[in-house]
Each structure stands twice: as C-alpha cells, then as structure tokens.
Amino acid sequence: MKNILLNFISNYISLTEEEMNAIFSLDIFRSVKKGTILLREGQKSKESYFVLKGCIRTYFLIDGEEKTTAFYTEMEALTPPCVISQTPSEYYVSCLEDTILVASNADMEAEMNSKFPKFEIMCRKLSEELLAKQRIDFDEFKTSSPEQRYLNLLHKRPDLIQRVPQHQLASYLGITPQSLSRLRARIMEKSKG
Amino acid sequence: MKNILLNFISNYISLTEEEMNAIFSLDIFRSVKKGTILLREGQKSKESYFVLKGCIRTYFLIDGEEKTTAFYTEMEALTPPCVISQTPSEYYVSCLEDTILVASNADMEAEMNSKFPKFEIMCRKLSEELLAKQRIDFDEFKTSSPEQRYLNLLHKRPDLIQRVPQHQLASYLGITPQSLSRLRARIMEKSKG
DNA sequence: TTCGTTTCTTAACTTAGGTGAACGAATTAT
DNA sequence: ATAATTCGTTCACCTAAGTTAAGAAACGAA
C-alpha cells in the first residue's frame, strides 16, 4: 500500500528518504468496511481522501432520495467542498466496497506544506490537474444526452458499471433507475439489429 | 485595473512592494475586443486568463453547432484544460464583450512560483477553491432539471441572463434554444397564474 | 439607410425521460 | 433457513425536451 502512494506522488514530485519518513510517520492509512459513512450531511470535516483500493461515493439526500454525484476508485482523490469552505457538508461520503484509503487532515497538510515546500507544489499540481479533468467531465456531461453519457461511461470507466449498483449509476448519469434500465434495453436492441 | 488584481490576490496572500512590482513588470494586462477568439480548437496554449472587466466564453464546435459550456466574468479565472495537459485545445475561447483581462503564461507562472513561494501558495489555494466550486456546480447540474437549472442561474448569476445571448445560455444549461424559450414562457405563465 | 444575418419565439410533431405501480430476483438481516 | 428489504426490470401514462420549420425582431455591415 505504501508503494502505491509513493508511486502516485512520484507523478508530481520526487521525494527524499526524509520526506518519505515524514509522510509515513503521520499514520494516514485507514481500512474501512463497506457501508461505512465517512462524512454526513451537516458535519464539518477537515479530511481529504485518497483511494488505494476499493471505492467511495458521494451523494446528496434530497426528499429522502439518494442522489449520487461521484465515485472515487483506485488512485483517485477527494477533498469535499466543505473542507475548503469550512462549512457543514452538503452531502454524504460513504464506502461502496471494503476500502483502503489515505486520510489526510487539512491542518496536517498545512504543516507538511510549510515544512516541505515540495508538498505545496504537489498539491498545486494535483488540484490544477483535477480541476482540468473535472472541467472536461462537466463539459461532456452538458453536451451529451443520457444515452451518450452511458455509452461514454461504458467506454471510459467500464469497471464502474460492474462494481456499482444500477440505481446509483443512474443518478450519477443524471437520470432515474427506470430510465437507465430502459436505455440499456434500447442499446441492446440496437446492437442486435 | 491594477487595484482590482491586487484586491483579488489579497484574498489569498499578502504582497510586499517588491512582489507587486514583480507582477506589474510582467506586462500581463490586455484589452480585447468583443468577438476576439483567444484560443481555437486544435491550438496549443500556455495562457491562463483572469477577467477584470467583460466576459469570455468557452465553446465546442460539434457538427457545426456551438456548444457553450462556460462563461467567465469579472474576478473569474480560466485555465483551459489544454494548458494543463499540454495537448491541442478541444474548444474555443472567445470574448463575448469588450474585455480587459490578465493573461498569464505557464512558464512565467513557474518562474514567479519559484522566485516567490507565496505565489505557489496562492495558486494552490485558488485551484483548490475553484475545484470545490466547480464540483458544487456540477453536482447541482446533475441533480436538477433544465427548468430548475434556469431558475438557479436566475438566482445565482442574474447578470449572465442579461448579458449573454439566449442560445448561448441554452447550451450552457444543456438544452436547445427552443427549449429555453419555451421553458421561460412556461415560468412566466406560472408566475402570472 | 438598407440589406443580410443572427437571434428569438412559436407551433406541430416526435422522442425520450419522469412517475407510479407491480413483480421477480438478489441481498441482507435475523 | 427464512423473512425482509433492496434492486432491477417492465408497463402504461404523462410531461418535457428534441426537431423541423417558419416568421418576426434585433443587430451589423456595407
């Protein structure tokens, strides 16, 4: 697990022995069981997550309905907006599978950043990259129909379609479970001819 | 104009005289006429923009149709994804109005960041903040209908509805101009009773 | 000013997504 | 193992968005 993290970090900066040790002395690895809720609506939090193995999901609870907006799998990072704005969370974060993750605290990050300026650089690069990626996802979402979105997902993240329940995928695609079911049947029909 | 920029920066870091001078010696202010295209599909670029006055817009050209995905107005910053990925741009950036902006080059930024570590901090904070904001916008988009999106926009950015042509607003809302027109009529009808 | 283009609206029709309900299949809890 | 829930699919019906087309209004360029 440590290697996965180091490997990820090496995409942004190169670490000395001392820096590696500083990271591992922080006790940031955590194992969480499927179904664990990491963050609830209304809670305040300073934690960011990086998924080493497994899958976590974010969702809103609107009129008793879960509206899933994102999934984070291996090598993906999530800093909930409430951590940045320092206001109570608008949504839930929960584990879809048994998950191993890195949980880092904002205060701890600040300390690391001031001690090792390299970390600041990594954080900047990472958030710039995530911002650009998310922009692309958003643009694709806006410019395509539910069916196109599903086909796009099938192409880009086939694993998600396997590991995530349909009704959660549906709201991730901005539609109802019934529509997703229908849409899938429609696609099947087409591909048969 | 210089004051607007300094005021914005002061939200993230505090500057010394020397640092201010360093910024202004870079010759980053630019005036652009309405209709000017700052970036074309297929072009490579290293420029980020910060709008001081006016409005710029990003759009894709798909089957001869412009699909507008974002607007940037006073005090908003745009770093096109292609600047991060260093690949040819997938979209266009153009000026909706006569606009005054700060154009900064990635190489120049890197130099400033290494000379003044404070800048690195500002860049990190800014992109973390933008990432969180964009996440919220994306989530709202996913969990609401076109009509709700329009009402939400009316509430959050009433200025946009005044200054942006309807057909561009429509694709920004993920619908056709006809649907937006109809939807507006529907809302009017309701509010009259 | 005038001509041409772009923009906005309206309408009729088509299509796809939302809703409510029902039912078996799969999962989970006891 | 069994009961209870959750999940996925299907259906019928409703509503809203897409499409095509046409005309009016606003805007820009010559």
Side-chain angles (χ1 to χ4, degrees):
Chain A
M1 285 305 141
K2 290 190 177 184
N3 281 335
I4 298 177
L5 179 59
L6 290 178
N7 189 47
F8 178 79
I9 292 175
S10 74
N11 292 323
Y12 302 96
I13 53 175
S14 46
L15 295 176
T16 64
E17 280 289 329
E18 188 201 356
E19 288 157 348
M20 288 186 202
N21 292 334
I23 291 174
F24 294 130
S25 70
L26 292 171
D27 185 32
I28 49 181
F29 295 91
R30 199 188 297 177
S31 260
V32 274
K33 280 254 162 58
K34 176 175 178 171
T36 306
I37 295 184
L38 296 168
L39 175 64
R40 292 191 143 77
E41 183 186 350
Q43 282 185 345
K44 289 197 177 187
S45 166
K46 294 196 162 192
E47 274 189 352
S48 292
Y49 305 104
F50 175 72
V51 178
L52 291 164
K53 178 143 186 31
C55 181
I56 61 181
R57 126 189 192 257
T58 59
Y59 63 94
F60 292 80
L61 203 53
I62 300 175
D63 301 330
E65 286 252 311
E66 287 185 7
K67 301 270 190 176
T68 298
T69 50
F71 300 101
Y72 299 84
T73 58
E74 286 77 16
M75 304 284 277
E76 292 187 325
L78 163 64
T79 299
C82 71
V83 174
I84 303 300
S85 63
Q86 293 176 280
T87 57
S89 178
E90 310 253 337
Y91 64 49
Y92 294 79
V93 178
S94 97
C95 293
L96 213 85
E97 307 169 353
D98 289 350
T99 298
I100 301 171
L101 43 79
V102 172
S104 87
N105 180 285
D107 298 330
M108 187 179 88
E109 269 176 49
E111 202 185 313
M112 288 294 278
N113 283 344
S114 70
K115 212 178 282 179
F116 306 101
K118 239 185 238 178
F119 275 66
E120 184 82 43
I121 294 175
M122 178 179 70
C123 289
R124 176 193 44 90
K125 282 189 181 175
L126 181 59
S127 51
E128 281 180 357
E129 187 186 304
L130 292 176
L131 181 63
K133 271 193 193 154
Q134 186 179 267
R135 185 75 254 169
I136 291 168
D137 287 345
F138 195 178
D139 290 350
E140 274 177 355
F141 193 94
K142 265 190 188 173
T143 57
S144 54
S145 67
E147 183 170 329
Q148 287 173 316
R149 278 176 222 152
Y150 176 76
L151 291 171
N152 191 33
L153 188 68
L154 202 59
H155 175 241
K156 287 203 175 171
R157 302 192 62 181
D159 62 304
L160 273 192
I161 288 165
Q162 299 309 316
R163 66 208 286 195
V164 172
Q166 298 282 340
H167 67 285
Q168 290 175 12
L169 267 187
S171 62
Y172 178 70
L173 294 169
I175 58 177
T176 61
Q178 293 93 322
S179 290
L180 177 56
S181 193
R182 180 165 42 194
L183 174 162
R184 279 158 53 91
R186 199 164 61 221
I187 290 169
M188 279 304 191
E189 210 42 48
K190 281 183 201 165
S191 71
K192 272 196 306 185
Chain B
M1 284 306 140
K2 289 190 177 182
N3 281 335
I4 298 178
L5 179 59
L6 290 178
N7 189 48
F8 179 79
I9 292 175
S10 73
N11 292 324
Y12 302 95
I13 53 175
S14 48
L15 294 177
T16 64
E17 281 289 329
E18 188 200 357
E19 289 157 347
M20 289 187 201
N21 291 334
I23 292 174
F24 295 129
S25 69
L26 293 169
D27 186 33
I28 49 182
F29 294 91
R30 199 187 299 176
S31 261
V32 275
K33 280 255 162 58
K34 177 175 176 171
T36 306
I37 295 185
L38 296 169
L39 175 64
R40 292 190 143 77
E41 182 185 351
Q43 281 185 346
K44 290 197 177 186
S45 166
K46 295 196 162 191
E47 275 188 352
S48 294
Y49 305 105
F50 175 73
V51 178
L52 292 164
K53 179 144 186 30
C55 180
I56 62 182
R57 127 189 191 256
T58 59
Y59 63 93
F60 292 79
L61 203 52
I62 300 174
D63 301 330
E65 286 252 312
E66 287 185 7
K67 301 269 190 179
T68 298
T69 50
F71 300 102
Y72 299 85
T73 58
E74 287 77 15
M75 304 282 276
E76 293 186 325
L78 162 65
T79 299
C82 73
V83 174
I84 303 298
S85 64
Q86 293 176 280
T87 57
S89 178
E90 310 253 337
Y91 65 49
Y92 294 79
V93 178
S94 99
C95 294
L96 212 84
E97 307 168 354
D98 289 349
T99 299
I100 301 171
L101 43 78
V102 172
S104 86
N105 181 284
D107 298 331
M108 188 180 86
E109 270 176 48
E111 202 185 312
M112 288 294 276
N113 284 345
S114 70
K115 211 177 284 178
F116 306 101
K118 239 187 240 178
F119 275 66
E120 185 81 42
I121 295 174
M122 177 178 72
C123 288
R124 178 194 42 90
K125 284 188 180 175
L126 181 58
S127 51
E128 281 179 357
E129 187 186 305
L130 292 176
L131 180 63
K133 271 193 192 156
Q134 193 179 77
R135 184 74 255 170
I136 291 168
D137 287 345
F138 195 178
D139 290 350
E140 274 176 356
F141 193 96
K142 266 190 187 171
T143 57
S144 54
S145 67
E147 184 170 327
Q148 288 173 315
R149 277 176 224 152
Y150 176 75
L151 291 170
N152 191 32
L153 188 69
L154 202 58
H155 175 242
K156 288 202 173 169
R157 302 191 63 180
D159 61 303
L160 272 192
I161 288 164
Q162 298 309 316
R163 65 208 287 195
V164 172
Q166 299 283 339
H167 67 285
Q168 290 175 10
L169 269 187
S171 60
Y172 178 69
L173 294 170
I175 58 179
T176 61
Q178 293 92 322
S179 290
L180 177 57
S181 192
R182 179 166 42 194
L183 174 162
R184 279 158 54 90
R186 198 164 62 220
I187 291 169
M188 279 305 191
E189 209 43 50
K190 281 183 200 166
S191 71
K192 273 196 306 183

